[in-house]
Amino acid sequence: MANISTVSNAQSLLVDSSVIDSRLAETSKEHLFLGSAEDIEDGVPQIETRVLLVGNAENNEELHKALQGIKIMEVPVVRIKGAEPGSKSGEKLIKTIINMDIKVPFRKVDNVQDFGDGENTEFETVFVLEDFHCPEFTYLYKNDNRIIGPPIVLQCAMREEPLPFSSRPLYCTNMLNLVLCFTGFRKKDEVVKLVNLVHHMGGTIRRDFSSKVTHLISYSTHGEKFRLAVCMGIPILKADWIYKAWEKRNEVNFCAADERFRTDFKVPPFQDCILSFLGFSEEDKKNMEEMTEMQGGKYLEVGDERCTHLVVEENNIKELPFQVPKKLYVVKQEWFWGSIQMDARAGESMYFYEKQESPTLKKSVSLLSLNTPNSNRKKRRLRDTLAQLTKETEISPFPPRKRPSAEHSLSMGSLLDISNTPESAKAGGADTPRSSARPSKSSVSITQKQSARWQVAKELFQTESNYVDILTTVLQLFKDPLEKEGQLGGPILAPEEIKTIFGSIPDIFDVHTRIKNELQELLMSWSENKSIGEIFLKYSKDLIKAYPPFVNFFEMSKETIVKCEKQKPRFHAFLKINQAKPECGRQTLAELLIRPVQRLPSIGLLLNDIKKHTADDNPDKVTLEKANESLKEVMTHINEDKRKTESQKQIFDAVYEVDGCPANLLSSHRTLVHRVETVALGDKPCDRGENVTLFLFNDCLEIARKRHKVITTFRSPHGHTRPPASLKHITLMPLSQIRKVLNIKETEDCHNAFALVVRPPTEQDNLLFSFQLATEDTVKEDWLRMLCRHVANTICKADAEDLLQSADSDTLQVNTKDMDSTLSRASRAIKKTSKKVTRAFSFTKTPKRVIQRAFMMSSTPDSKSPTSFSEHSLGGRIASTSSLAAFQSPSLVSLPSLFERRYSTFSRSTTHLI
């Protein structure tokens, strides 16, 4: 009696449509596999099963042993069933698979024609062949016999499964459950050969592309099937993949779908493409040309008629230099990198380059003529200009300031009260208080003049908010897409590489999100007794847990990024695409990841600044001190060996070079970035014409001027162990106080000039610090970009370019005219002399009129200094200065009236200083 079971009870190796002979007639496809054991048991024909070995298979001992262990084979059965009453359709064919015992393990045959006529219904015969290209195979195949290869037998014996039924010759299962579709092939013979090999390995072929297709075999990167496969993320492979899989047909456990195997046979993104590149730097162009060849493409120079694609750097190219041929794709660079990231040629339609329209000119600040004699009006216009330049773009909980004439004013409390609207005010009628309709003087003054403590607390919140935004960018733009399942082209990085790069960034993001939210709540309901330090004390343990693992392994994180970018083109393309997005602010992933390394020291500086502006009787002063200690505790957990000793040495050299340099400039987290020699152009932070040295550190800017010759009368009698300081400290300014960096446009009267718009916490208005680069070896644009980058890092702002702005010299009332003339040098000498005299006599109780008289006598060109005064009072000091002032150069002789006007101005300014 045959062992009968349905396919639902005994799983076949082949679970696709090929398990049933497609050559069997059927009238209704929906009845496939609907038969049950009960339906067919009574009508099972008397069939004898047999396994026959043909050719070299007769001598395969391993095969003989495997067949002795196999007791069952699958047999197809078809039964005709009558139509149901009332049905319009006639008889139906019920097809199913049953398992039948194999009574004789195998037989050897010399002549297949004696057994393989295909018409003997008494036997269900399975032929085992090692060669699917021999004459015996051809004869058996033409007569519709069941043919399998030795790997099928070995696999069934190993898994204790029945010999499977297949309507086609089945040599192995290397492509079991794979559904393939072909595109781009023009030779029919080649396609037929490939299709047969796929069937021999258990695969299925689909003529039309659908969601069931698992792999597309493509000869080119054109066509609708190729586009659909790219969109659906289906692997696109060369025909060599099939040939190579067939070579491995005797490996029982081999699978052609294995990612490591099929990677070598992917159709490269730029196959059949000839690219040219327009608008890129030489370095970028060379890199992209190398990537083109790596990805299967070719490249030629722009304008070559053989090119299929022109890749354009859209930010640099406003108009194409030639008429575009119809067959040429003109695409943005995002198409290039996107194709590499997806590991397939992206559709051009989404990336077509379009000619950019002329940008709409932004409405500038309206300024009247600055030639008016009213200096107060000039100052007011300049102040308005600076306010416009520093208009804050950060996310802030504070409402925009309304004009006093506005009908309704918004207080911070109104942000939390949705009923406080103009409509609700009108609805209130007479019952509405006057204060809600028009702000009082007191409320306006409070809004306009917040305390210094509030200003720094606001700055702390803004930098914290910016920092959280950057962490969000790192996670959402980089980490999450890399970890996403089902990526087009497969995973870009391995999980361990992602973990090495991003480390504990999610933990850092979580704790700082909570800190930001609490700071926002504190500022929305601000009062001077609110505790800022308590917030950081609350999360100190979370900071200790989150930061050291990331900071200690930051160097490893950077090295992993560099290594993966070099070794994995898809990761390189992924970075190129995402780093170009506005959220990154033109920064690389490595530059964004350095922010957590810099954040804690920045918070410490701001907490110190808040403490400085906190009253002694405020309980938060003690809490702020404790909060700072908790931050120091976090930083002690960070590996001290990662400090850069050379950078620290540079800071020590700067401290020794600047007389009066604050001691807190020395800090383990601080590094010297650049040093620039300039000349002051305004009256802040020092007088016009002073030689000023700017020391740019990663979080602050030290401003020092060239020290005037030291007066020997007050020189210390002790010996010096090092040369005297050549610079004098002016101010140490945190970079967070710089609101804008202004690149002053070049004119005849203004060359190599720039300015900083600064807002210290103690000032209500913006200050303008203007300078001229003193040396030509410093490129102004490079210096300003470097400065903006570090300002952005300090305030945790992604896009440093927003801080840099062009400005007209006339608008800012800045010029470099006559900075190097003899008159200018003489005027500066007089001004320096007046300051020296003031400082020298400040140690005594000498009346101011005596000092003023001495200055007037020494600075008058035509007068002679009294001998007794110069000898006894200043020991010859005034005499040397007056000789400098009285030096008769041609320019001084030709401009006496102008010099007299300058002299009177200098006298008044000196009197004010004294």
Side-chain angles (χ1 to χ4, degrees):
M1 186 66 179
N3 180 15
I4 303 172
S5 65
T6 62
V7 73
S8 60
N9 296 327
Q11 288 293 329
S12 171
L13 282 173
L14 299 178
V15 292
D16 55 37
S17 61
S18 66
V19 297
I20 288 298
D21 193 343
S22 59
R23 288 164 291 190
L24 291 175
E26 62 176 324
T27 58
S28 180
K29 287 188 176 180
E30 63 267 23
H31 287 279
L32 189 64
F33 297 121
L34 291 183
S36 64
E38 291 75 12
D39 292 334
I40 64 177
E41 188 172 8
D42 294 337
V44 172
Q46 298 297 321
I47 300 174
E48 184 177 343
T49 60
R50 60 186 179 183
V51 178
L52 304 181
L53 304 184
V54 181
N56 294 333
E58 297 178 0
N59 305 318
N60 191 331
E61 294 297 331
E62 185 181 7
L63 186 61
H64 298 171
K65 184 178 179 179
L67 285 171
Q68 290 175 355
I70 300 176
K71 304 300 183 182
I72 302 173
M73 74 164 59
E74 294 180 349
V75 178
V77 175
V78 177
R79 184 183 178 190
I80 301 175
K81 188 176 182 179
E84 297 178 1
S87 176
K88 295 182 181 181
S89 60
E91 296 177 340
K92 298 179 181 179
L93 301 179
I94 306 300
K95 296 183 289 186
T96 189
I97 299 294
I98 64 173
N99 291 339
M100 300 187 71
D101 295 330
I102 302 175
K103 296 179 180 180
V104 180
F106 60 88
R107 291 177 58 183
K108 300 178 181 179
V109 295
D110 295 327
N111 187 2
V112 296
Q113 295 181 3
D114 294 340
F115 302 91
D117 57 9
E119 297 180 1
N120 193 334
T121 59
E122 297 178 4
F123 295 93
E124 180 66 21
T125 307
V126 176
F127 293 87
V128 182
L129 282 78
E130 288 188 357
D131 186 1
F132 272 29
H133 299 287
C134 63
E136 291 82 0
F137 173 84
T138 304
Y139 173 80
L140 294 172
Y141 179 67
K142 286 182 178 179
N143 288 279
D144 296 335
N145 288 283
R146 289 177 62 175
I147 307 172
I148 62 174
I152 295 293
V153 177
L154 297 175
Q155 192 172 18
C156 290
M158 182 176 61
R159 299 181 180 178
E160 298 181 352
E161 295 177 345
L163 288 179
F165 168 78
S166 174
S167 61
R168 301 183 181 96
L170 181 66
Y171 189 91
C172 63
T173 58
N174 288 357
M175 291 191 174
L176 181 66
N177 297 330
L178 301 187
V179 182
L180 278 61
C181 186
F182 290 82
T183 183
F185 292 85
R186 297 188 178 182
K187 296 180 180 180
K188 183 178 180 180
D189 293 343
E190 183 181 6
V191 176
V192 170
K193 182 179 179 181
L194 291 170
V195 168
N196 286 333
L197 292 179
V198 172
H199 287 157
H200 295 343
M201 291 184 284
T204 305
I205 303 298
R206 289 286 183 267
R207 186 184 191 91
D208 299 323
F209 191 89
S210 67
S211 59
K212 294 181 179 180
V213 173
T214 60
H215 297 77
L216 178 68
I217 311 302
S218 178
Y219 190 80
S220 68
T221 57
H222 304 282
E224 185 65 23
K225 292 180 181 179
F226 184 91
R227 294 281 171 255
L228 289 172
V230 171
C231 294
M232 297 172 66
I234 293 174
I236 305 172
L237 306 174
K238 303 176 184 176
D240 292 342
W241 174 61
I242 298 176
Y243 291 127
K244 196 66 176 179
W246 179 247
E247 291 179 8
K248 295 178 175 291
R249 60 188 179 275
N250 290 313
E251 298 180 18
V252 177
N253 296 318
F254 173 75
C255 178
D258 183 81
E259 175 69 24
R260 292 170 296 180
F261 173 72
R262 65 179 171 89
T263 297
D264 295 333
F265 304 99
K266 290 182 178 179
V267 174
F270 303 134
Q271 181 173 300
D272 306 328
C273 297
I274 302 176
L275 312 184
S276 57
F277 303 94
L278 180 63
F280 298 92
S281 65
E282 286 300 320
E283 182 180 357
D284 289 342
K285 182 182 176 184
K286 183 179 179 181
N287 177 36
M288 296 175 81
E289 289 174 346
E290 292 175 354
M291 295 292 291
T292 299
E293 290 185 330
M294 289 174 58
Q295 301 300 323
K298 300 177 182 179
Y299 63 88
L300 294 171
E301 292 300 321
V302 174
D304 195 300
E305 295 180 354
R306 292 170 291 175
C307 289
T308 60
H309 293 75
L310 175 62
V311 184
V312 179
E313 167 46 282
E314 62 273 17
N315 296 320
N316 296 336
I317 299 300
K318 306 302 179 186
E319 189 171 351
L320 298 178
F322 59 89
Q323 187 69 30
V324 180
K326 292 183 178 179
K327 294 184 178 181
L328 181 66
Y329 291 107
V330 182
V331 292
K332 303 175 184 177
Q333 63 169 325
E334 190 176 354
W335 171 84
F336 179 85
W337 297 115
S339 297
I340 297 176
Q341 180 187 330
M342 292 190 302
D343 212 9
R345 176 179 161 188
E348 290 83 1
S349 59
M350 295 177 60
Y351 304 97
F352 281 145
Y353 168 80
E354 296 179 358
K355 180 181 176 181
Q356 297 184 7
E357 301 293 336
S358 300
T360 305
L361 295 177
K362 295 183 178 180
K363 187 176 180 180
S364 58
V365 182
S366 177
L367 294 174
L368 299 176
S369 172
L370 296 178
N371 296 326
T372 173
N374 191 336
S375 60
N376 290 332
R377 185 182 300 174
K378 285 185 180 181
K379 293 179 180 178
R380 185 168 60 252
R381 287 177 185 147
L382 178 59
R383 185 169 62 249
D384 293 341
T385 301
L386 297 181
Q388 178 67 21
L389 290 172
T390 58
K391 184 178 180 181
E392 294 179 347
T393 59
E394 299 91 355
I395 300 174
S396 173
F398 310 101
R401 293 180 182 175
K402 295 286 185 176
R403 298 188 306 274
S405 59
E407 183 178 0
H408 301 282
S409 67
L410 283 176
S411 64
M412 284 193 293
S414 67
L415 289 176
L416 304 177
D417 184 5
I418 60 174
S419 63
N420 189 10
T421 62
E423 289 75 10
S424 63
K426 291 178 181 179
D431 296 333
T432 304
R434 293 174 59 87
S435 59
S436 64
R438 187 179 300 274
S440 64
K441 292 183 179 180
S442 60
S443 65
V444 173
S445 63
I446 291 175
T447 304
Q448 292 178 347
K449 297 182 179 180
Q450 293 287 359
S451 66
R453 172 178 160 86
W454 182 88
Q455 291 281 359
V456 183
K458 173 189 173 185
E459 181 182 333
L460 174 61
F461 165 73
Q462 288 177 336
T463 58
E464 188 70 10
S465 179
N466 294 338
Y467 179 55
V468 170
D469 289 343
I470 288 176
L471 294 178
T472 302
T473 297
V474 170
L475 294 175
Q476 294 184 354
L477 215 57
F478 295 96
K479 185 176 183 291
D480 293 348
L482 288 173
E483 292 179 330
K484 184 180 179 181
E485 296 182 0
Q487 299 176 38
L488 294 177
I492 296 176
L493 293 180
E496 56 271 17
E497 292 171 330
I498 298 174
K499 179 63 177 176
T500 303
I501 292 174
F502 297 99
S504 59
I505 286 288
D507 298 330
I508 296 174
F509 169 76
D510 290 340
V511 64
H512 278 279
T513 300
R514 285 177 279 161
I515 291 175
K516 184 204 78 171
N517 293 338
E518 295 206 16
L519 285 174
Q520 183 174 4
E521 292 178 4
L522 181 144
L523 289 173
M524 294 294 288
S525 56
W526 174 261
S527 66
E528 289 296 322
N529 60 355
K530 291 278 186 178
S531 179
I532 299 172
E534 191 64 37
I535 296 176
F536 290 91
L537 281 178
K538 178 180 177 180
Y539 294 104
S540 60
K541 291 183 179 180
D542 296 322
L543 293 172
I544 291 176
K545 182 179 178 181
Y547 268 93
F550 179 83
V551 178
N552 286 341
F553 294 97
F554 176 67
E555 292 299 325
M556 186 183 298
S557 173
K558 289 198 301 182
E559 292 171 2
T560 304
I561 293 174
V562 173
K563 181 189 71 174
C564 292
E565 192 171 6
K566 288 181 178 179
Q567 297 178 353
K568 302 187 176 185
R570 293 183 61 210
F571 181 61
H572 178 70
F574 172 81
L575 293 181
K576 281 287 186 180
I577 293 172
N578 289 286
Q579 289 171 174
K581 293 180 179 178
E583 299 95 313
C584 290
R586 301 176 182 87
Q587 293 184 87
T588 64
L589 175 59
E591 290 172 335
L592 292 173
L593 288 176
I594 202 175
R595 297 304 179 81
V597 180
Q598 302 170 335
R599 183 55 185 162
L600 291 184
S602 300
I603 293 176
L605 292 175
L606 288 169
L607 292 182
N608 274 331
D609 209 1
I610 294 174
K611 178 186 171 186
K612 186 191 304 182
H613 298 292
T614 301
D616 293 339
D617 57 350
N618 192 326
D620 196 30
K621 190 147 193 171
V622 177
T623 311
L624 286 168
E625 182 65 32
K626 292 180 180 179
N628 242 331
E629 290 298 322
S630 69
L631 290 179
K632 291 178 182 178
E633 183 182 355
V634 176
M635 288 185 278
T636 57
H637 287 75
I638 296 174
N639 192 350
E640 293 293 337
D641 294 339
K642 298 187 181 294
R643 308 296 182 186
K644 297 181 179 179
T645 55
E646 182 60 28
S647 176
Q648 295 299 308
K649 182 180 180 297
Q650 292 177 344
I651 297 179
F652 275 99
D653 292 341
V655 170
Y656 288 140
E657 190 177 359
V658 179
D659 182 29
C661 185
N664 61 2
L665 180 63
L666 292 172
S667 177
S668 59
H669 75 274
R670 185 167 288 125
T671 56
L672 178 62
V673 178
H674 198 60
R675 169 178 176 160
V676 174
E677 302 295 335
T678 67
V679 177
L681 298 179
D683 57 352
K684 292 182 182 301
C686 57
D687 293 327
R688 176 180 171 86
E690 292 272 14
N691 292 316
V692 178
T693 301
L694 304 179
F695 295 91
L696 175 61
F697 295 88
N698 60 303
D699 62 344
C700 62
L701 184 69
E702 166 64 17
I703 303 178
R705 63 167 175 79
K706 185 177 181 180
R707 193 173 185 183
H708 306 151
K709 187 176 180 180
V710 181
I711 302 176
T712 56
T713 308
F714 301 102
R715 181 173 295 177
S716 171
H718 302 289
H720 295 280
T721 58
R722 57 182 174 85
S726 60
L727 301 173
K728 182 69 177 178
H729 167 74
I730 297 178
T731 183
L732 178 63
M733 180 173 61
L735 294 182
S736 58
Q737 294 182 8
I738 299 178
R739 304 304 187 189
K740 283 288 181 182
V741 177
L742 305 181
N743 185 359
I744 301 177
K745 298 177 182 178
E746 297 292 313
T747 63
E748 292 182 0
D749 295 337
C750 193
H751 172 65
N752 235 9
F754 67 95
L756 307 178
V757 181
V758 179
R759 180 74 173 274
T762 54
E763 296 286 339
Q764 295 297 323
D765 296 321
N766 297 312
L767 304 179
L768 184 70
F769 294 175
S770 54
F771 306 91
Q772 180 188 28
L773 292 175
T775 57
E776 294 293 334
D777 57 349
T778 300
V779 180
K780 182 173 70 169
E781 287 73 19
D782 294 344
W783 152 247
L784 296 182
R785 278 195 291 268
M786 182 190 304
L787 176 59
C788 289
R789 168 54 50 217
H790 287 278
V791 173
N793 290 346
T794 302
I795 64 176
C796 295
K797 188 173 182 180
D799 196 350
E801 295 291 333
D802 287 347
L803 295 168
L804 183 61
Q805 189 168 336
S806 297
D808 294 323
S809 57
D810 293 338
T811 303
L812 300 177
Q813 305 173 29
V814 171
N815 69 80
T816 60
K817 190 176 182 181
D818 296 330
M819 287 300 294
D820 296 325
S821 66
T822 305
L823 173 62
S824 179
R825 289 195 299 270
S827 301
R828 291 199 297 271
I830 295 173
K831 208 166 189 180
K832 292 176 184 177
T833 302
S834 68
K835 286 192 173 185
K836 289 176 183 177
V837 173
T838 303
R839 285 193 294 273
F841 277 90
S842 63
F843 289 93
T844 67
K845 295 183 179 180
T846 306
K848 292 182 180 180
R849 62 180 181 277
V850 178
I851 301 174
Q852 185 175 359
R853 189 184 306 122
F855 171 75
M856 293 175 65
M857 294 175 63
S858 65
S859 59
T860 305
D862 298 329
S863 64
K864 296 181 179 180
S865 303
T867 303
S868 59
F869 186 86
S870 64
E871 291 179 354
H872 296 93
S873 301
L874 293 177
R877 181 65 181 166
I878 296 298
S880 62
T881 305
S882 62
S883 64
L884 174 64
F887 177 77
Q888 298 292 325
S889 68
S891 61
L892 286 174
V893 173
S894 62
L895 298 172
S897 60
L898 178 61
F899 184 87
E900 289 176 3
R901 289 197 299 273
R902 292 288 181 93
Y903 149 72
S904 62
T905 302
F906 293 144
S907 298
R908 288 195 300 272
S909 64
T910 306
T911 304
H912 174 70
L913 288 172
I914 297 173

